[in-house]
Amino acid sequence: MDIVDRMLAGDRRALSRLVTLVEQESDEVAEVMQQVQPHTGKAYCIGVTGPPGSGKSTLVDKLALLLRSRDRSVGIIALDPTSPFSGGAILGDRIRMDRHALDRGVFIRSMATRGSLGGLARAVRDTVRLFDASGKDFCIIETVGVGQIELDIVDTADTVAVVSMPETGDSIQVMKAGILEIADILVVNKADLPGAERLTNDLEGMARDNQREPWWSVPVVPTVAKLNEGLEGLMEKVEQHRKALEETGQLSVRRQEQRAKELMEIVERLIRDRLMKGKNADGRLGAIIQKVAEAELNPHSAAMEILNDKDLVHGWLLGTNENP
Ligand SMILES: Nc1nc2c(ncn2[C@@H]2O[C@H](COP(=O)(O)OP(=O)(O)OP(=O)(O)O)[C@@H](O)[C@H]2O)c(=O)[nH]1
Ligand SMILES: [Mg+2]
């Protein structure tokens, strides 16, 4: 495809349009990704997550500046959760983005949680690949919170930094399990505010007591993103984590697991899509669904009936019933 070639040659508008294709889950995505694949595998991906207002965007912005000062190119994906909290942040984000607008080494894309969360996670993964193929050295994903969506999304990242700030001290307890499950680095931002030291100590204790991997102790890094303080220290930890992942072989293990999981998700989605098509177009399938709806048939038996009927579902799954 022409547009992929243009993107590979550094055309930003082509990159932007391809991200849109991916976001819209266009039918062309498979072809695009086939062409993009050989050019991927070089970018390093950093996930930045944490509660609303903890300073993630400020931090990501400063991290991008730091990387640019080292002549590294950066692609940023900012996930706007369309939550009431972030309403005020959008303008600020836009101003920050404008600062990078003339810098060809930075590409920023916001994505909203519109419909399916699974769809968003897929779009993020493919966008990372597009950034990678377009030659970005680093990819940064900013997302709010530590719920299931974030878990799925930060899975994409090689190194995950969870940002907290002094006022979130109480919610840290609530997020504790989630944080320790995903954080490779803990950032205490707004270290200029009272309570930062206590939070740092608490997190250090938590990290010590819950070490996940023998080869990595999750560090706690204080930053004052607003004043551009602590960013070098953070980047140093990212590089250390990267080195540990590479030396233990975990980087390729993680990426392999991620790709296998992604495949299963895509297969599941395609089956579901085809089944939905069949539901509307195939009278027999519709009839079974109706029976279940009216409690005439239990859903377990109905599911087996569908799966055991070669003609019915296999036809749909293989696409041979496309035009009955
Ligand atoms: N005191 C202090 N304020 C900071 C620091 N870093 C960021 N802020 C401020 O905190 C506010 C929120 O910053 P953002 O970067 O928008 O936070 P965010 O986590 O991206 O917020 P959402 O995207 O809405 O979840 C802004 O007013 C920043 O200026 C810091 O180190 N110290
Ligand atoms: Mg933000």
Side-chain angles (χ1 to χ4, degrees), residues 211-314:
Q211 185 155 348
R212 272 191 332 244
E213 316 274 10
W215 48 269
W216 183 248
S217 314
V218 173
V220 182
V221 184
T223 58
V224 185
K226 203 173 65 172
L227 304 177
N228 205 7
E229 286 172 15
L231 273 297
E232 309 243 341
L234 174 57
M235 201 52 217
E236 195 182 310
K237 293 299 174 195
V238 172
E239 292 294 1
Q240 278 173 16
H241 185 242
R242 177 181 195 165
K243 199 160 159 252
L245 283 173
E246 283 168 354
E247 282 173 358
T248 54
Q250 282 298 311
L251 186 62
S252 57
V253 170
R254 274 194 187 199
R255 288 180 174 182
Q256 279 172 22
E257 285 173 356
Q258 179 63 47
R259 286 193 288 261
K261 188 174 145 208
E262 186 180 2
L263 166 64
M264 298 314 282
E265 281 172 19
I266 293 174
V267 170
E268 273 177 39
R269 175 177 60 102
L270 289 177
I271 290 178
R272 198 168 27 238
D273 285 356
R274 290 187 177 190
L275 208 53
M276 292 314 274
K277 256 197 215 165
K279 174 185 141 190
N280 298 329
D282 190 301
R284 273 191 302 158
L285 193 52
I288 294 176
I289 294 169
Q290 191 59 29
K291 272 196 211 163
V292 172
E294 287 168 8
E296 249 176 75
L297 190 62
N298 79 77
H300 299 280
S301 309
M304 290 320 290
E305 193 176 317
I306 290 172
L307 287 178
N308 288 332
D309 189 330
K310 276 204 185 73
D311 205 38
L312 191 70
V313 171
H314 293 200

Side-chain angles (χ1 to χ4, degrees), residues 56-58 89 93 96 142 144:
K56 299 175 296 296
S57 297
T58 314
D93 282 350
R96 280 190 285 270
E142 177 195 337
V144 178

Side-chain angles (χ1 to χ4, degrees), residues 50-60 62 79-81 83 85-90 92-93 96 142-145 163 165 188-193 223-229:
S54 52
K56 299 175 296 296
S57 297
T58 314
L59 200 73
V60 167
K62 296 295 176 5
L79 292 164
D80 162 20
S83 84
F85 298 112
S86 69
I90 291 171
D93 282 350
R96 280 190 285 270
E142 177 195 337
T143 172
V144 178
V163 183
M165 62 174 184
V188 173
N189 189 42
K190 308 200 184 183
D192 54 319
L193 297 183
T223 58
V224 185
K226 203 173 65 172
L227 304 177
N228 205 7
E229 286 172 15

